[in-house]
Amino acid sequence: MADMEPTADGPSPLELQAGVHQLCGCGRSKHGWFCDGAHLGSGRVSYELRLQEPASVVMCGCGRSRRYPLCDGSHTVPKQQPWWPWGQR
Ligand code: FES
């Protein structure tokens, strides 16, 4: 089961046993990185991960990964600033 809770700002390693894991893809789960069905009605789905052997996976804590809930390195890319200069008149 979860040995690490999601963080607010960066990647988090998660050790998993071999088997099928349903990972949270909506951020609403009360079981950390694991789906508890809270995504129902959110328009999101859980992420199924199948492992042939125990492995360490890197989970996204910034919410910007295109492979969410897995980290894809997007946390290293600076956030885009809007082109319009609000408040700079
Ligand atoms: S922590 Fe979000 S992409 Fe790496």
Side-chain angles (χ1 to χ4, degrees), residues 10-11 60-65 71-75:
C60 173
C62 76
R64 293 160 53 197
S65 174
C71 173
D72 71 352
S74 294
H75 61 274

Side-chain angles (χ1 to χ4, degrees), residues 26 45-46 71:
C26 70
V45 295
S46 62
C71 173

Side-chain angles (χ1 to χ4, degrees), residues 2-63:
D3 57 357
M4 188 169 291
E5 294 295 316
T7 62
D9 58 357
S12 298
L14 178 64
E15 302 295 329
L16 294 173
Q17 297 298 313
V20 179
H21 304 277
Q22 292 294 333
L23 302 176
C24 175
C26 70
R28 294 177 169 182
S29 176
K30 292 188 173 32
H31 296 288
W33 293 116
F34 298 90
C35 177
D36 68 356
H39 64 274
L40 295 175
S42 72
R44 294 195 166 226
V45 295
S46 62
Y47 183 90
E48 184 175 287
L49 182 64
R50 294 176 179 262
L51 296 174
Q52 298 293 325
E53 56 191 45
S56 178
V57 297
V58 182
M59 307 300 291
C60 173
C62 76

